């Protein structure tokens, strides 16, 4: 933004005033929304931790944007502040909302459930995800996990969705039918951990009746391990 403002200042100085007013209005509007509507914004967010961070950070980010708007207005009269007036708004937004961005990434990550599985000494157990596939789970556990799905939508790949049956039929494929996990739970040929997303309440309730929760429940919760049946 600073480079863009510098170019405008040298090549089209008449547009600088428009850029400053645009920056001031946008920053002031968004800043007021964040400052005065922090509670409402937090209510729209899914996840308790993310909502808490949003409620705490939004007023601070809003105040920073209002300062940026004031600098932009000052830049209309004080030329040295012109570049800062345009550049400060996006910088304030990114810095002010950094904790929210970090919390958003954490809420979508499987690091918490992977850590719980490792801490329980179950990293070597078979891992089955039910109706969902958090990609970072394989990354943190450094291994392949099985995915119980009929349509492949949990993997968020158009290619896999289209050829899910063919891919599932291949030898060594990690794809399993959507209800396969139930027979796995009943027969349990080897220690198995089941990972389910919070919104899959029916599966979570069924697993909760049979297996203990591993670690703290979050967006993804692990249950297990089931133990092999001794004949």
């Amino acid at each position: 933004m600073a480079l863009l403002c510098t170019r405008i200042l040298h090549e089209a100085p008449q547009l600088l005033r428009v850029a400053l007013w645009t920056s001031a209005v946008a920053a002031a509007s968004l800043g007021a929304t964040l400052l005065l509507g922090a509670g409402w914004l937090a209510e729209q967010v899914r996840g308790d931790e993310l909502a808490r961070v949003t409620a705490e950070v939004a007023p601070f980010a809003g105040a920073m944007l209002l300062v940026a708007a004031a600098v932009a207005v000052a830049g209309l009269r004080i030329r040295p502040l012109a570049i800062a007036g345009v550049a400060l708004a996006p910088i304030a937004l990114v810095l002010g909302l950094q904790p929210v961005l970090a919390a958003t990434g954490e809420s979508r990550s499987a690091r918490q459930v992977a850590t719980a599985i490792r801490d329980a000494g179950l990293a070597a157990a078979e891992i089955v995800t039910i109706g969902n596939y958090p990609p970072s789970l394989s990354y943190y556990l450094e291994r392949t996990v099985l995915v119980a799905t009929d349509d492949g939508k949990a993997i968020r790949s158009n290619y896999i969705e289209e050829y899910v049956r063919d891919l599932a039929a291949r030898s060594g494929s990690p794809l399993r039918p959507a209800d396969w996990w139930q027979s796995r739970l009943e027969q349990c040929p080897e220690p198995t951990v089941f990972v389910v997303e919070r919104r899959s309440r029916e599966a979570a309730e069924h697993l909760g009746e049979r297996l203990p929760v591993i670690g703290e429940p979050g967006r993804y919760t692990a249950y297990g391990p089931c133990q092999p049946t001794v004949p």
Side-chain angles (χ1 to χ4, degrees), residues 106 109-117 140 214-220:
E106 187 65 26
S109 171
R111 180 170 61 178
Q112 179 181 353
V113 68
T115 300
I117 292 172
Y140 288 118
I214 302 173
E216 293 294 328
R219 177 177 180 179
Y220 300 104

Side-chain angles (χ1 to χ4, degrees), residues 46 107 129-134 154 156 195-204 218-221 223:
R46 291 191 303 176
S107 70
T129 63
I130 302 171
N132 68 87
Y133 174 64
R156 299 181 180 88
V195 177
V196 63
E197 197 171 10
R198 177 187 298 162
R199 61 185 178 182
S200 301
R201 295 182 179 179
E202 184 176 345
R219 177 177 180 179
Y220 300 104
T221 303
Y223 296 85

Side-chain angles (χ1 to χ4, degrees), residues 165-187:
R165 295 186 183 278
D166 294 335
L167 294 172
R170 293 184 180 181
S171 176
S173 171
L175 299 176
R176 299 291 187 274
D179 58 355
W180 175 85
W181 66 272
Q182 298 181 28
S183 61
R184 180 72 176 209
L185 177 62
E186 294 297 332
Q187 300 171 8

Side-chain angles (χ1 to χ4, degrees), residues 117 123 125-129 132-139 141-148 155 172-176 193 195:
I117 292 172
E126 192 74 84
I127 309 296
V128 179
T129 63
N132 68 87
Y133 174 64
S136 57
L137 183 60
S138 294
Y139 171 78
L141 292 178
E142 299 181 343
R143 54 170 301 179
T144 300
V145 302
L146 302 180
V147 183
I155 305 177
S173 171
L175 299 176
R176 299 291 187 274
V193 173
V195 177

